């Protein structure tokens, strides 16, 4: 193998699912010692490509070359043995086992046939040090944070001598600091000669981290940039979505009317002091804070998921007894949760069923019977409106790509007339084009009088769409900034822990 | 990506999905008609239908329990208890109505209790109903003093031993259960909520599904229907028997699984469950006609269940 040869290459890779061709003759190469971005709209086929790489799926046609040899992995274990590791978004560790046990799962060091705990600990510590983690190898994985688990997963791959690694949207639930740490490690891996394939929807990450980039669209290879210098952001976006994208946030000032959502002295688990705030009718309010600032906790109290200790919530002037999500929904306050897989989708049911789950209660016949005509129409309308890519409304939602699942969950809440729309990280995993459409929809809803509360860890997104920004830090609201005053500097200053310098 | 017209292989998968068990049933029926003596006679088919009546009724509500991701092991005991209690009350009061009411109310109460413990107290359904299975079996023995309770009111036997349009009443009642619970599953919010809960309880809760209420309701229905099935069985046997229907819960769950109900919840179809019930009955009936010893019948039933589940796995792999 000469230096110029790619360490990993795909040759005319095609993958068909019933009714969908997820990959269509995709060919490109990834050099050793480089970080290669893989980009494309939701459903473009990125995760499918990674699953073929890891041996989880078998391609319909085409092949994979690794280290100059044509390979066809039949299982993840086989891919790992060949030095290929894929780090998925949903991590594959056993939460009940310790870090050390997870690291050596399936190949425990033995001494005279017995598990050699001493060696296990020592080797685990070595691996953890390589990813810069000082977690004890005896901690149970279930107690680690998501970022720490990701590091353990990377350490596990290193322990098996992975020479090629792929990451599927690894930063989507990490804090800024954790992301920084992850990048350091990925760069170290690159410098040691590892070939890295990196899937992301975030443009900044592509320019920050990656050396090369490949764009997929509708399962087809669009372009591979071997170097990114000179490739503009707009050009990349255009090759992804197939059109120019201007004014992503669609911001325009709207008239506000008082009496939307009023929250007084809301207090409960995860908050340090009672929180008071208001959102007028037609207003979009953003909540920004670093991970752990208490934003999600506040929303869960607001929407009746966790019973508050004290406080009052009024919607359009009426006091609401928030004791369950159901009560909140009945009062016109809906909550789109952050963790799509755990709290959003019902994977074994169809897209239509998932969309109609809540709103169908407003369209019953004789108080108990489903109006199937309305349900079919609503599902079709919403799929169209949000651009959900699915073979049909009857496809199981679990088979859609991550971003399309997210759109279907948003569609659930756009199916009913709402007074207050509460969104927790609504655009996580959604591609740039679809993001822009969703921002547009949020603005339309606000223009029609809905009060919108949006939590996001992405500062540009919050600043781009909100009329007003509340900043949270360590379980309290540390600042309230109107749109003109909400500069990145001001927001960050309020978001950082007291005493920390910007 | 490209959405092509659905390819022929996936069309096969779809047909199998919606009608697979019905096809198996039709095939089995054809084979039995051709090769098993006395199978295709009115008397035998009537006997077959009667034999699956109890399983059929209970399978309707078991389908709901499984669809919600739960279990109910207490149904066999409730069937026995319902029959015994009904018979005892009828004998004591001389009133059929009172006997039937007592059995139904207590069945529903046992189910309600199961539901509260499972849904509100959060105890595992397997454990909860394993306990109530034994408690209720014991209650049946206590009420009857361990002996069969012969019913002295002839009017009660109409429920089990009469026929309408040539079809025995228990079979009509089972058919009615299929229609009612099929409708409940497919046409009502309650049915859809049940499936949503089984699919992802947390997501259903956040989407405004009254999870606890739905679960308690479906356990209560399960108790009610099991007690009703017990009454029908007692009417056929003209007595309430405390040790009847042992192991019924497993047969019912087997029939549901044969009918493609997912044990992890979220997936259930009434048509397939009916087919599952009939397949179980048909195989048993054919084995009886062929004079296969009961010992071997157990083995055969176990194999069929395993076969169905394996087939299902194969189908999922595609
Ligand atoms: N197991 C499957 N069965 C059927 N269709 C599937 C399956 N897995 C993926 N697909 C389909 O293949 C297409 C590509 O999906 P994939 O998950 O690769 O997209 P993606 O590029 O990762 O998108 P996202 O950015 O939303 O994560 C989608 O249309 C999806 O519905
Ligand atoms: Mg993906």
């Amino acid at each position: 193998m000469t230096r110029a040869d790619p360490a990993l290459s795909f040759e005319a890779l095609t993958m068909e699912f019933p009714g969908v061709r997820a990959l269509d003759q995709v060919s490109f190469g990834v050099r050793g010692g480089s970080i290669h971005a893989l980009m494309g709209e939701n459903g473009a086929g990125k995760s499918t490509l990674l699953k073929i790489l890891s041996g989880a799926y078998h391609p319909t046609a085409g092949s994979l070359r690794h280290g100059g040899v044509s390979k066809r992995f039949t299982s993840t274990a086989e891919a790992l043995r060949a030095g290929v590791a894929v780090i998925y978004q949903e991590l594959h560790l056993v939460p009940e086992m310790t870090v050390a046990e997870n690291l050596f799962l399936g190949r425990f060091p033995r001494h005279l046939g017995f598990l050699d705990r001493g060696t296990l600990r020592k080797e685990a510590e070595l691996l953890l040090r390589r990813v810069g983690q000082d977690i004890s190898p005896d901690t149970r994985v279930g107690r680690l944070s998501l970022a720490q688990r990701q590091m353990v997963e990377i350490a596990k791959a290193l322990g098996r001598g992975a020479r090629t690694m792929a990451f599927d949207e690894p930063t989507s639930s990490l804090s800024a600091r954790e992301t920084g740490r992850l990048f350091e490690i990925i760069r170290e891996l690159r410098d040691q000669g590892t070939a890295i394939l990196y899937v992301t929807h975030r443009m900044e990450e592509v320019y920050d981290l990656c050396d090369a980039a490949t764009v997929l669209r509708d399962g087809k290879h669009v372009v591979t940039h071997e170097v990114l210098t000179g490739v503009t952001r707009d050009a990349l976006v255009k090759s992804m979505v197939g059109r120019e994208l201007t004014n992503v946030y669609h911001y325009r000032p709207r008239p506000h009317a008082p009496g939307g959502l009023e929250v007084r002295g809301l207090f409960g688990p995860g908050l340090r002091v009672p929180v008071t705030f208001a959102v007028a009718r037609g207003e979009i309010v953003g909540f920004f804070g670093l991970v752990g600032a208490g934003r999600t906790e506040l929303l869960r109290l607001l929407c009746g998921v966790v019973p508050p200790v004290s406080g009052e919530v009024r919607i359009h002037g009426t006091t609401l007894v928030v004791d369950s999500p159901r009560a909140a929904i009945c009062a016109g306050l809906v909550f789109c949760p952050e963790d799509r897989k755990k709290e959003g989708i019902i994977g074994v049911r169809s897209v239509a069923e998932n969309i109609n789950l809540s709103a169908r209660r407003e369209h019953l016949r004789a108080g108990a019977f489903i109006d199937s005509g309305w349900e079919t129409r609503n599902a079709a309308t919403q799929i169209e409106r949000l651009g959900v890519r699915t073979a049909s409304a009857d496809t199981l939602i679990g088979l859609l790509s991550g971003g399309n699942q997210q759109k279907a969950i948003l569609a659930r809440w756009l199916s009913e007339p709402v007074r207050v729309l509460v969104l927790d990280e609504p655009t996580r995993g959604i591609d740039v084009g679809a993001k822009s459409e969703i921002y547009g929809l949020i603005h339309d809803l606000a223009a029609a009088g809905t009060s919108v509360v949006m939590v996001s860890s992405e500062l540009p997104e919050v600043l781009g769409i909100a009329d007003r920004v509340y900043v949270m830090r360590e379980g309290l609201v540390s600042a309230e900034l109107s749109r003109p005053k909400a500069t990145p500097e001001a927001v960050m200053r309020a978001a950082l822990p007291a005493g920390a310098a910007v | 990506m490209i959405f092509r017209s659905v390819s022929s292989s996936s069309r096969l998968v779809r047909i199998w999905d919606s009608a697979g068990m019905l096809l198996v049933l039709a095939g089995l029926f054809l084979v039995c008609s051709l090769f098993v003596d006395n199978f295709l006679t009115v008397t035998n088919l009537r006997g077959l239908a009667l034999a699956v009546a109890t399983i059929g009724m209970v399978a309707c509500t078991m389908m709901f329990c499984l669809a919600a991701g739960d279990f109910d092991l207490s149904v066999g005991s409730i069937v026995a208890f319902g029959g015994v209690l009904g018979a005892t009350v009828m004998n004591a009061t001389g009133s059929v109505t009172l006997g039937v009411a007592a059995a139904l109310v207590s069945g529903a109460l046992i189910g309600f209790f199961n539901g509260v413990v499972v849904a509100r107290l959060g105890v595992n359904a397997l454990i909860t109903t394993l306990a109530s299975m034994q408690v209720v079996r014991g209650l049946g023995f206590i009420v009857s003093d361990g002996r069969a309770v012969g019913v002295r009111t002839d009017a009660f036997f109409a429920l089990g031993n009469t026929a309408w349009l040539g079809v025995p009443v228990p079979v009509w009642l089972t058919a009615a259960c299929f229609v009612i619970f099929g409708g409940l599953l497919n046409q009502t919010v309650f049915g859809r909520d049940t499936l949503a809960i089984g699919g992802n309880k947390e997501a259903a809760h956040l989407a405004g599904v009254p999870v606890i209420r739905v679960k308690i309701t479906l356990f209560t229905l399960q108790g009610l229907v099991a007690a009703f099935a017990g009454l029908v069985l007692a009417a056929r046997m003209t007595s309430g028997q405390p040790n009847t229907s042992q192991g019924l819960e497993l047969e019912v769950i087997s029939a549901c699984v044969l009918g493609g109900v997912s044990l992890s919840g979220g997936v259930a179809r009434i048509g397939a469950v009916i087919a599952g019930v009939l397949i179980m009955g048909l195989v048993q009936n054919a084995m009886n006609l062929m004079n296969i010893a009961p010992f071997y019948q157990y083995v055969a039933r176990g194999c069929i269940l395993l076969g169905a589940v394996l087939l299902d796995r194969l189908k999922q792999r595609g």
Side-chain angles (χ1 to χ4, degrees):
Chain A
M1 194 171 65
T2 64
R3 242 191 84 78
D5 269 349
L8 169 72
S9 61
F10 303 96
E11 283 162 17
L13 210 56
T14 299
M15 181 80 204
E16 299 191 346
F17 294 109
V20 185
R21 188 174 291 163
L23 291 175
D24 190 6
Q25 307 256 353
V26 172
S27 309
F28 70 96
V30 182
R31 274 173 290 126
S34 82
I35 304 173
H36 196 115
L38 183 58
M39 312 171 68
E41 288 178 294
N42 297 128
K46 305 176 295 293
S47 299
T48 305
L49 188 103
L50 260 47
K51 283 182 186 154
I52 291 176
L53 180 61
S54 76
Y57 288 168
H58 312 306
T60 318
S63 65
L64 190 80
R65 288 175 79 81
H66 185 238
V69 207
S70 183
K71 288 273 166 64
R72 186 167 263 244
F73 300 129
T74 52
S75 71
T76 320
E78 197 184 319
L80 260 179
R81 272 197 299 278
V84 176
V86 177
I87 317 280
Y88 294 110
Q89 243 188 298
E90 302 94 39
L91 303 175
H92 291 209
L93 300 170
V94 187
E96 291 80 20
M97 294 176 115
T98 67
V99 171
E101 286 166 348
N102 266 289
L103 286 175
F104 288 91
L105 199 63
R107 49 175 205 121
F108 287 127
R110 278 167 217 273
H111 185 67
L112 300 175
F114 290 96
L115 176 62
D116 182 353
R117 288 212 170 269
T119 315
L120 180 67
R121 275 207 87 204
K122 239 183 286 149
E123 304 228 333
E125 256 168 10
L126 272 177
L127 278 179
L128 289 171
R129 215 167 301 144
R130 270 180 77 188
V131 293
Q133 293 292 305
D134 48 6
I135 0 174
S136 153
D138 299 324
T139 327
R140 261 201 254 118
V141 162
R143 308 182 47 168
L144 300 181
S145 75
L146 197 89
Q148 286 174 317
R149 281 188 226 186
Q150 218 165 40
M151 292 301 175
V152 173
E153 187 101 52
I154 295 173
K156 185 173 158 189
L158 289 179
R160 302 186 187 213
R163 285 174 297 126
T164 298
M165 284 176 89
F167 296 83
D168 199 352
E169 301 184 40
T171 56
S172 57
S173 350
L174 298 190
S175 71
R177 188 183 314 154
E178 290 163 339
T179 301
R181 182 76 204 111
L182 177 73
F183 283 8
E184 270 172 43
I185 287 168
I186 294 181
R187 286 192 188 106
E188 262 167 47
L189 287 171
R190 170 191 57 194
D191 296 342
Q192 290 158 12
T194 314
I196 293 162
L197 198 52
Y198 187 91
V199 175
T200 184
H201 286 295
R202 298 187 175 159
M203 298 305 271
E204 320 86 75
E205 294 188 348
V206 174
Y207 285 106
D208 241 28
L209 183 70
C210 301
D211 308 305
T214 288
V215 176
L216 299 181
R217 187 165 72 229
D218 292 342
K220 295 201 184 74
H221 177 261
V222 178
V223 61
T224 293
H225 299 285
E226 290 296 345
V227 278
L228 282 170
T229 34
V231 182
T232 62
R233 196 194 137 94
D234 288 346
L236 267 183
V237 171
K238 192 175 172 203
S239 59
M240 273 196 283
V241 300
R243 62 193 150 86
E244 300 276 354
L245 213 58
T246 49
N247 181 22
V248 187
Y249 296 112
H250 300 281
Y251 186 82
R252 44 184 194 274
R254 274 158 277 105
H256 301 163
L261 169 74
E262 293 161 273
V263 176
R264 223 167 284 146
L266 191 65
F267 185 61
L271 296 180
R272 265 204 311 164
V273 290
V275 171
T276 298
F277 69 95
V279 185
R281 297 188 207 194
E283 191 181 26
I284 301 174
V285 162
F287 272 81
F288 180 80
L290 305 177
V291 171
R295 298 162 307 167
T296 296
E297 286 77 2
L298 174 64
L299 295 195
R300 295 176 79 86
L301 290 171
L302 176 62
C303 303
V305 185
V306 176
V309 174
S310 62
E312 192 191 29
V313 177
R314 290 161 72 89
I315 293 175
H316 289 201
T318 323
T319 303
L320 167 71
V321 188
V322 270
D323 58 352
S324 69
R326 186 176 171 73
I329 294 167
C330 290
L333 182 154
V334 305
F335 172 47
C336 184
E338 169 185 24
D339 189 335
R340 152 177 83 226
K341 186 135 201 164
K342 224 173 93 211
E343 307 180 317
I345 67 161
I346 298 177
V348 293
R349 306 301 305 169
S350 68
V351 175
E353 190 73 8
N354 271 278
I355 292 177
N356 292 321
L357 186 60
S358 175
R360 65 159 54 115
R361 276 156 238 281
E362 307 286 320
H363 299 268
L364 296 180
R365 293 159 184 260
F369 293 94
I370 304 268
D371 182 345
S372 50
W374 176 83
E375 296 214 344
T376 314
R377 279 195 307 277
N378 180 54
T381 315
Q382 300 297 344
I383 286 172
E384 170 81 46
R385 185 171 171 206
L386 282 134
V388 182
R389 294 193 169 206
T390 172
S392 81
D394 300 324
T395 307
L396 296 190
I397 196 172
L399 296 179
L400 298 196
S401 78
N404 283 303
Q405 292 178 0
Q406 180 70 19
K407 291 188 220 162
I409 296 305
L410 280 173
R412 177 186 296 164
W413 299 119
L414 301 184
S415 300
E416 47 192 330
V418 295
R419 291 172 162 174
V420 183
L421 178 64
V422 180
L423 304 164
D424 197 356
E425 306 280 1
T427 60
R428 175 173 291 172
I430 285 187
D431 68 58
V432 268
K435 259 186 196 170
S436 156
E437 272 152 41
I438 286 168
Y439 298 142
L441 273 173
I442 293 177
H443 274 283
D444 292 346
L445 285 175
T450 309
S451 314
V452 180
V453 177
M454 188 178 85
V455 157
S456 173
S457 325
E458 290 191 44
L459 190 51
E461 174 172 285
V462 174
L463 299 184
I465 127 164
D467 299 312
R468 203 146 49 87
V469 178
Y470 286 99
V471 186
M472 289 189 75
R473 161 183 95 207
E474 297 168 322
L476 51 85
V477 173
S478 53
E480 177 192 346
L481 302 162
S482 58
R483 188 172 174 91
K485 291 215 190 85
T487 59
E489 295 73 33
V491 172
M492 279 318 282
R493 203 174 308 123
L496 286 171
V502 179
Chain B
M1 86 242 70
I2 295 101
F3 293 118
R4 296 159 308 134
S5 63
V6 179
S7 70
S8 60
S9 72
S10 72
R11 197 174 299 142
L12 270 182
V13 168
R14 284 229 183 130
I15 291 174
W16 175 256
D17 250 354
S18 54
M21 277 300 146
L22 285 174
L23 290 178
V24 171
L25 177 64
L28 272 176
F29 191 86
L30 199 72
V31 169
C32 289
S33 313
L34 289 178
F35 299 111
V36 179
D37 287 340
N38 296 329
F39 177 78
L40 202 60
T41 61
V42 173
T43 327
N44 182 54
L45 291 184
R46 191 184 292 155
L48 194 165
L50 263 177
V52 296
T54 310
I55 295 186
M57 286 186 233
V58 181
C60 289
T61 38
M62 187 63 86
M63 173 182 76
F64 273 84
C65 262
L66 296 177
D70 277 327
F71 261 105
D72 192 345
L73 296 179
S74 67
V75 288
S77 301
I78 301 180
V79 166
F81 179 70
V84 166
L85 187 76
T88 311
V89 172
M90 270 175 241
N91 286 347
T93 62
S95 153
V96 173
T97 319
L98 276 183
V100 168
L104 292 183
V105 168
S106 51
L109 277 177
I110 296 165
F112 178 76
F113 173 81
N114 281 337
V116 169
V117 174
V118 171
R120 201 167 282 287
L121 307 183
V123 180
N124 181 295
L126 209 67
I127 310 286
T128 308
T129 60
L130 191 63
S132 56
M133 165 173 129
Q134 305 186 57
V135 169
V136 175
R137 180 65 67 180
L139 287 179
F141 283 121
I142 293 169
V143 168
S144 63
D145 208 13
R147 286 187 297 266
V149 184
V151 179
R152 294 191 293 267
T153 328
D154 286 352
F156 177 57
F157 303 146
L159 205 55
N161 289 333
T162 49
W164 187 55
L165 298 177
V167 177
V169 167
V171 177
W172 282 114
L173 292 171
T174 310
C177 281
F178 284 143
V179 172
I180 293 171
F181 286 100
L184 205 59
L185 184 70
N186 296 323
Q187 312 291 334
T188 69
V189 210
F190 176 72
R192 299 303 178 92
D193 282 355
T194 304
L195 291 165
I197 292 171
N200 183 346
K201 194 167 131 202
E202 195 54 35
H205 175 61
L206 289 180
V209 173
V211 176
I212 293 179
R213 201 194 320 154
V214 169
K215 280 200 173 199
I216 292 178
T217 312
L218 59 91
F219 272 100
T220 308
L221 280 174
Q222 173 91 78
L224 182 77
V225 168
F228 181 69
L231 282 171
V232 175
L233 190 66
R236 264 174 63 202
M237 301 190 297
T238 67
S239 64
Q241 305 198 357
N243 48 16
T244 182
S245 300
Q246 308 216 23
L248 177 80
E249 56 283 343
L250 298 184
E251 285 182 58
V252 172
I253 292 173
S254 302
C256 287
V257 172
L258 262 179
V261 180
S262 153
L263 285 185
S264 48
V267 181
R269 276 184 220 96
I270 187 75
V273 167
I274 297 175
V277 168
L278 289 177
I279 290 173
M280 297 267 297
L282 201 133
V283 169
Q284 183 130 7
N285 178 270
M287 288 193 294
N288 285 338
L289 288 176
M290 292 189 290
N291 276 323
I292 296 177
F295 300 160
Y296 293 94
Q297 295 197 8
Y298 279 111
V299 176
R301 283 211 309 253
C303 292
I304 292 169
L305 180 62
L306 204 60
V309 177
L310 288 179
L311 212 64
D312 199 54
R313 299 272 318 170
L314 275 181
K315 187 188 76 192
Q316 277 170 13
R317 286 227 203 100

